[in-house]
Amino acid sequence: MKYENIREEELKNKVADDYFWLLDTTKIVGNVDFCVSPLTPEGGTGYMTPPSGAGGLVSFLWAEAKKGVADIYKSISQLVLTVGKARTFDKNLPPAFLGAFDAEKIAFVPYSEISDVFYQNDFNWNVTPSNHKTKEFKLIHDKVKNTLDAQALIFHFGKDDIELKQFIKQNFVEGKHSITKTRIDKNNFIVIYNKWLSVVKPTIRVNWDIAKKVGIIDGDFYLADLLSQENNTLKDKLFVLLKKDRYELDRKLNETGMFGSQTTDFNDKQEAHTKFWNIYERPPKEEYWDYIIGRRDLLVPQDVRERKGSFFTPQIWVELSQRYLADTLGEDWQDDYYIWDCACGTGNLLAGLTNKYNIFASTLDKQDIDVIHDRIQNGANLLEKHVFQFDFLNDDFTKLPKNLQEIIKNPEKRKKLVIYINPPYAEATTAKTVTGTGENKAGVSKDSKLNDYYNAKIGNASNEIFALFMARIYDKIPDCVLAQFSKLKFVQGTNFTKFREFFRAKFLGGFIVRADTFDNVKGNFPIGFTTWDLSIKDKINETVCDVITNNSEKEGVKTFYGELPESINKWIKLFDNGSNIHFGYMGNPAPDFQNNNFLNVENLKGTRHVNYFAFTKNNVIMGSIYFAVRQVIEATWLNDRDQFLFPHDAWKTDTEFQNNCLAYMLFHGQNRITVKSGTNHFIPFTEQELEAGERFESNFMTDFIKGKLKPDPKTNLFGIAETLRTTPLEFSADAQAVFQAGKALWKYYHQSINNANTFLNTKPNANASLYDIREYFQGRNTTGKMNHKSEDETYTQLIADLRDALKVLAKKIEVKVYEYGFLKA
């Protein structure tokens, strides 16, 4: 509530200042609580003498004010009694509106809609207006209630501020005789939908949980409301129609051969619906209708959209894909080929195509088919008979239109069929992921009858709906051309190895764009448009796509590899000897960039379902290499799915590379060793170097760096001379710079805890790790997460210096990552 716990006079002042600051709210008209008038020129009075000879103040609004939350009907009824008792309209020009407001809302009703009440015969106006128990008050209340239900414009402070301020600006104008309401266009129809959800939807007599399961969504009821006039939907092809005081839906021929439908109405006699739409101008301008209907996808609840994995293809990429198809298949491809979008949604992928006789479109949802049929009536270049409801993953092809069946059955015509789609992206596994729609959706593709059938053919790829589309197209429509938007994991994902054995086709070309350019797609990864000739059985290997910027400009190419060496995770297991004597763990998450956030060094094993590499004195270097090669290159939308690989042997003799990786791991932020979980064996400096106040519990790391540890004669993991393990490590100049910056930070920490009388955020410990030092200076917020910044300026500079030095070292290591085959360029 915007104006909670304030007195009535203060409420009037705040409402005047917040909403009527360009108008005059200082005039007093009879016993009316609140009056709004036009500002007058300097020296003017604001009063005028109309042609009838009756003088008075020109007003826009007379209103009743109530502190707290009041009954609007009663407030306006009290105002009517106040005005009627004093005959205020005889002494002043009547206002454009009567109104009332309280701490949460304000209501307006045109004076002309209520003025008749002032001229009743034999009515006793000589009662106290504030006494709501009198017979006269009840009579007025009953008379004005129906008018208020039908005509009142109610705005909630804060929530409806944009509409309220616009209403005042457009209607509180001298000489204006009609009401201007908030107009709806393609820029605000979603904002208004979100308000409709909380006000109107709860009053529609529908069990929404059950309705959602059968594909009925609230957005279709909103469209019925929005595209209506006098509460009658103007577009009879929509799935839901508003018919005055009820909704009609699911219109179809029944078993008797007659048209039947389902209906539902309101649980509040349509009061909330009427009040809500009173403040908006319906319908929007006709020029917006097709756009609004075409963006029905924005009205699909997020959980439904994510479960289905269906996402709207931006027009910029639709147009670009059609240019690529023209370049690939020939300038006259639309006349030479048939086109079928078997996951068409509301049909936006087909916008711009010219030969409607060659185009077919199908989708699972009848509501989407109704939308396309409506768009056809309004000029969309499609044939209504070629647009049909069809569940591609479950329905038999005998349900297809006969002419499309004939094309699919004819080998030569089939070669001229382009399956042009943006299939659903949803996936179904048990692991959480940062890709796609945020989390994998358990059971998504398992709802398809084909899941079990194709699981034997494509393995784990059958967890992906788009992969099931590809598999069925490949299996049931052989030798056609597939042109699709999709993630690129089918080209390079480790779960798609079996899929690539099954799906063999010639790559004809394509491009990639950022996934977040698609509405409501989350994640920093590429979505590709790729074209495949299914008549040529090439194995998917190197797929080279143009890289397209958000402005539709080409900026190079990106190669995706189908055939790759073994994973880096298989390589690191060679050195994970399971020794009981270990001093830390490192999770080995899935070997691509998107999973690098889960790569940490910690004291104890984590809980993720991955291998945990155990650090011992014999494998510190190899663990450091694994950590560094996965962290030195920043994850971007382009490399998000790139795989880290089993390297060739050249790294074994490059001691500078090995030592650089050790330095990088020791000082990286994902090294989360902490004294809170056990002994810190990763301190890279001696007590003397840091002028520590006490002896460290472990000097393992400095002893290791100085070559003081004795090698295990049974474990020669390097396959190279043992002398390397008993001599001091030599670091490059860039690695030394990292050590120098780290030493300055550690020394400052020890100086701080040695000299401080009070401690910043955590109890200090001489054995502190980098993670502990960060926590000490940065502290944690109320949710327990470490703060991003510190108030200590010296620390802030020192940690920045360390991070800068790490960036320089990362560039040096990055070259070797590609040189030694940990990544493929």
Side-chain angles (χ1 to χ4, degrees):
M1 193 186 311
K2 187 170 183 178
Y3 301 116
E4 196 169 8
N5 297 325
I6 61 175
R7 298 173 65 180
E8 185 177 302
E9 288 303 314
E10 185 179 357
L11 172 64
K12 290 191 285 187
N13 292 336
K14 286 185 177 294
V15 169
D17 290 342
D18 290 347
Y19 299 99
F20 300 99
W21 72 93
L22 294 177
L23 300 165
D24 186 353
T25 58
T26 63
K27 299 292 191 297
I28 297 175
V29 179
N31 295 319
V32 174
D33 277 351
F34 188 80
C35 176
V36 179
S37 305
L39 281 175
T40 55
E42 189 173 349
T45 65
Y47 290 83
M48 64 175 290
T49 300
S52 63
L57 177 68
V58 177
S59 299
F60 296 131
L61 173 69
W62 294 347
E64 182 75 18
K66 297 289 185 183
K67 68 177 183 178
V69 178
D71 182 324
I72 285 292
Y73 298 109
K74 291 181 178 179
S75 296
I76 292 183
S77 296
Q78 181 175 328
L79 174 65
V80 169
L81 280 170
T82 299
V83 171
K85 180 177 183 179
R87 306 292 292 180
T88 310
F89 46 82
D90 287 338
K91 304 166 188 174
N92 298 275
L93 291 173
F97 299 96
L98 295 179
F101 59 87
D102 57 24
E104 71 171 7
K105 60 189 174 294
I106 186 169
F108 304 91
V109 61
Y111 180 86
S112 58
E113 297 292 339
I114 213 165
S115 59
D116 287 350
V117 75
F118 295 121
Y119 300 101
Q120 299 177 83
N121 293 322
D122 301 323
F123 184 83
N124 177 25
W125 291 98
N126 293 315
V127 295
T128 303
S130 60
N131 185 353
H132 295 182
K133 296 182 179 180
T134 65
K135 177 182 68 174
E136 288 76 12
F137 183 91
K138 292 178 181 178
L139 287 171
I140 292 296
H141 182 275
D142 292 343
K143 283 183 175 294
V144 302
K145 186 177 186 302
N146 290 336
T147 301
L148 295 179
D149 283 340
Q151 302 292 337
L153 295 92
I154 302 175
F155 302 86
H156 285 76
F157 296 128
K159 184 173 68 174
D160 297 329
D161 274 4
I162 293 175
E163 290 90 343
L164 173 55
K165 291 177 181 178
Q166 188 177 34
F167 174 81
I168 293 169
K169 180 180 179 181
Q170 293 177 337
N171 291 283
F172 284 38
V173 178
E174 289 188 80
K176 185 173 178 58
H177 301 291
S178 60
I179 299 175
T180 301
K181 301 181 180 181
T182 299
R183 294 187 180 276
I184 305 171
D185 57 33
K186 64 181 182 180
N187 296 314
N188 68 0
F189 81 100
I190 293 298
V191 174
I192 295 168
Y193 164 66
N194 288 328
K195 295 183 178 184
W196 179 94
L197 286 175
S198 62
V199 176
V200 179
K201 177 183 173 181
T203 70
I204 301 173
R205 210 184 299 273
V206 171
N207 184 319
W208 295 106
D209 291 334
I210 295 175
K212 188 188 295 185
K213 292 178 181 178
V214 295
I216 297 173
I217 63 170
D218 50 50
D220 290 318
F221 289 79
Y222 172 70
L223 285 177
D225 281 358
L226 179 61
L227 298 173
S228 69
Q229 191 168 43
E230 297 180 354
N231 281 345
N232 281 295
T233 303
L234 300 172
K235 308 286 287 182
D236 60 5
K237 289 289 186 179
L238 294 183
F239 182 70
V240 177
L241 303 179
L242 176 63
K243 298 287 189 178
K244 290 295 185 182
D245 59 353
R246 70 188 189 281
Y247 294 99
E248 182 181 287
L249 64 156
D250 200 21
R251 301 170 304 284
K252 58 186 177 183
L253 283 172
N254 59 30
E255 62 275 6
T256 66
M258 295 184 290
F259 272 99
S261 63
Q262 299 180 46
T263 62
T264 191
D265 57 7
F266 300 89
N267 58 31
D268 68 340
K269 299 182 180 180
Q270 208 174 359
E271 286 186 10
H273 181 274
T274 301
K275 291 175 183 177
F276 179 85
W277 287 113
N278 273 349
I279 69 175
Y280 297 105
E281 188 73 42
R282 288 187 297 165
K285 289 184 178 179
E286 193 167 352
E287 64 194 74
Y288 300 129
W289 291 7
D290 196 51
Y291 175 84
I292 291 172
I293 293 171
R295 292 314 313 266
R296 175 184 176 271
D297 65 295
L298 296 177
L299 307 178
V300 176
Q302 186 69 13
D303 62 327
V304 174
R305 184 160 32 196
E306 291 186 358
R307 186 174 70 249
K308 292 183 176 181
S310 304
F311 296 97
F312 185 86
T313 314
Q315 192 61 32
I316 185 174
W317 306 140
V318 172
E319 294 172 1
L320 185 63
S321 69
Q322 292 174 12
R323 291 204 298 270
Y324 269 70
L325 283 170
D327 291 341
T328 301
L329 303 178
E331 186 177 342
D332 297 325
W333 76 280
Q334 294 188 53
D335 296 322
D336 297 338
Y337 287 82
Y338 304 100
I339 301 162
W340 180 19
D341 182 353
C342 55
C344 69
T346 55
N348 76 296
L349 190 60
L350 304 175
L353 299 181
T354 56
N355 189 348
K356 62 184 178 182
Y357 301 100
N358 282 6
I359 301 171
F360 298 86
S362 64
T363 187
L364 176 67
D365 295 323
K366 183 181 184 302
Q367 296 95 316
D368 286 338
I369 296 301
D370 291 342
V371 166
I372 299 177
H373 284 169
D374 181 83
R375 294 175 69 185
I376 291 171
Q377 286 193 346
N378 286 276
N381 193 34
L382 298 167
L383 292 179
E384 191 164 319
K385 291 182 179 180
H386 284 194
V387 179
F388 51 96
Q389 185 179 5
F390 184 72
D391 182 350
F392 186 80
L393 294 185
N394 292 304
D395 286 348
D396 191 273
F397 276 28
T398 56
K399 294 183 178 181
L400 295 174
K402 295 297 183 183
N403 49 353
L404 181 55
Q405 288 188 49
E406 291 172 2
I407 294 169
I408 293 172
K409 292 175 181 177
N410 186 309
E412 294 305 314
K413 287 185 176 180
R414 196 165 60 233
K415 290 181 181 179
K416 292 291 185 178
L417 174 61
V418 178
I419 306 298
Y420 179 38
I421 54 173
N422 180 6
Y425 299 161
E427 52 191 282
T429 66
T430 56
K432 290 185 177 181
T433 176
V434 295
T435 66
T437 60
E439 288 186 0
N440 296 330
K441 302 296 183 295
V444 171
S445 64
K446 291 182 172 62
D447 291 339
S448 168
K449 297 175 184 176
L450 297 181
N451 181 268
D452 292 338
Y453 174 76
Y454 281 114
N455 182 265
K457 297 177 180 290
I458 63 176
N460 290 337
S462 63
N463 285 325
E464 303 267 0
I465 291 183
F466 86 89
L468 289 176
F469 267 80
M470 293 179 70
R472 195 171 201 209
I473 291 166
Y474 186 82
D475 198 25
K476 300 299 183 183
I477 318 176
D479 301 338
C480 71
V481 174
L482 172 61
Q484 69 169 10
F485 287 91
S486 71
K487 294 181 281 188
L488 274 299
K489 53 170 69 176
F490 75 94
V491 175
Q492 62 178 15
T494 54
N495 282 338
F496 281 75
T497 302
K498 194 170 183 179
F499 175 90
R500 289 190 290 271
E501 291 296 327
F502 169 78
F503 185 94
R504 299 199 173 206
K506 181 180 180 180
F507 176 63
L508 301 179
F511 61 85
I512 55 173
V513 297
R514 295 178 66 105
D516 57 13
T517 60
F518 287 68
D519 286 349
N520 295 292
V521 177
K522 303 172 185 177
N524 195 29
F525 61 94
I527 287 179
F529 175 75
T530 54
T531 307
W532 305 85
D533 184 344
L534 273 55
S535 68
I536 302 174
K537 308 303 181 183
D538 289 347
K539 190 170 184 179
I540 296 175
N541 190 7
E542 295 187 9
T543 302
V544 182
C545 294
D546 294 335
V547 178
I548 305 298
T549 69
N550 289 4
N551 295 323
S552 195
E553 296 177 355
K554 180 180 175 181
E555 63 168 11
V557 297
K558 168 73 175 177
T559 301
F560 299 90
Y561 297 96
E563 293 295 319
L564 289 169
E566 295 281 2
S567 153
I568 193 175
N569 284 355
K570 187 170 184 179
W571 172 79
I572 194 62
K573 284 184 179 181
L574 296 176
F575 311 108
D576 194 1
N577 61 13
S579 169
N580 289 328
I581 304 174
H582 54 266
F583 52 87
Y585 288 94
M586 174 178 62
N588 305 141
D592 54 23
F593 279 90
Q594 65 166 325
N595 282 286
N596 280 353
N597 284 338
F598 303 118
L599 173 56
N600 306 309
V601 177
E602 300 175 286
N603 301 70
L604 306 172
K605 283 186 178 181
T607 58
R608 287 178 59 80
H609 297 295
V610 298
N611 178 65
Y612 280 88
F613 176 87
F615 281 97
T616 72
K617 67 178 183 179
N618 295 305
N619 64 14
V620 176
I621 291 294
M622 284 70 75
S624 302
I625 292 172
Y626 179 92
F627 180 93
V629 299
R630 292 197 59 170
Q631 296 285 7
V632 294
I633 301 171
E634 183 181 357
T636 68
W637 72 275
L638 277 176
N639 66 19
D640 184 72
R641 299 294 190 275
D642 287 1
Q643 302 289 305
F644 290 94
L645 307 171
F646 196 118
H648 47 74
D649 289 343
W651 68 271
K652 293 181 178 179
T653 57
D654 190 343
T655 56
E656 181 181 282
F657 165 71
Q658 297 167 18
N659 298 342
N660 283 344
C661 289
L662 175 63
Y664 191 82
M665 181 194 71
L666 289 174
F667 296 97
H668 193 275
Q670 294 292 97
N671 185 336
R672 295 182 178 175
I673 294 291
T674 171
V675 293
K676 293 181 179 180
S677 299
T679 302
N680 176 15
H681 297 283
F682 282 75
I683 304 174
F685 308 105
T686 64
E687 296 91 338
Q688 293 78 10
E689 288 177 291
L690 301 181
E691 300 176 6
E694 58 184 278
R695 180 174 292 280
F696 298 155
E697 293 176 1
S698 171
N699 295 110
F700 169 83
M701 191 54 65
T702 51
D703 287 347
F704 179 82
I705 290 171
K706 293 177 180 179
K708 292 183 178 182
L709 299 178
K710 292 182 179 181
D712 184 345
K714 296 180 182 179
T715 310
N716 182 6
L717 297 175
F718 283 109
I720 53 180
E722 286 291 340
T723 55
L724 286 174
R725 304 175 60 80
T726 56
T727 57
L729 304 185
E730 295 182 7
F731 292 97
S732 66
D734 292 329
Q736 291 178 39
V738 170
F739 272 93
Q740 184 176 353
K743 183 178 178 181
L745 177 62
W746 252 268
K747 285 190 71 172
Y748 181 67
Y749 170 76
H750 281 277
Q751 290 170 6
S752 297
I753 66 174
N754 291 340
N755 300 328
N757 294 320
T758 58
F759 305 124
L760 291 177
N761 298 296
T762 61
K763 184 178 179 180
N765 190 312
N767 298 282
S769 66
L770 174 61
Y771 190 77
D772 296 323
I773 293 172
R774 290 172 55 214
E775 183 180 24
Y776 178 80
F777 286 108
Q778 294 173 212
R780 295 184 179 274
N781 60 27
T782 55
T783 65
K785 292 184 178 180
M786 191 181 296
N787 296 320
H788 295 297
K789 297 179 180 180
S790 170
E791 295 180 0
D792 188 307
E793 294 182 1
T794 302
Y795 163 79
T796 300
Q797 184 59 55
L798 290 172
I799 195 72
D801 292 343
L802 176 58
R803 288 167 179 164
D804 288 343
L806 277 173
K807 290 177 183 177
V808 175
L809 181 60
K811 290 295 182 184
K812 192 177 188 72
I813 298 172
E814 180 180 346
V815 176
K816 300 295 183 178
V817 171
Y818 291 101
E819 182 179 333
Y820 296 146
F822 289 102
L823 280 175
K824 201 165 184 177

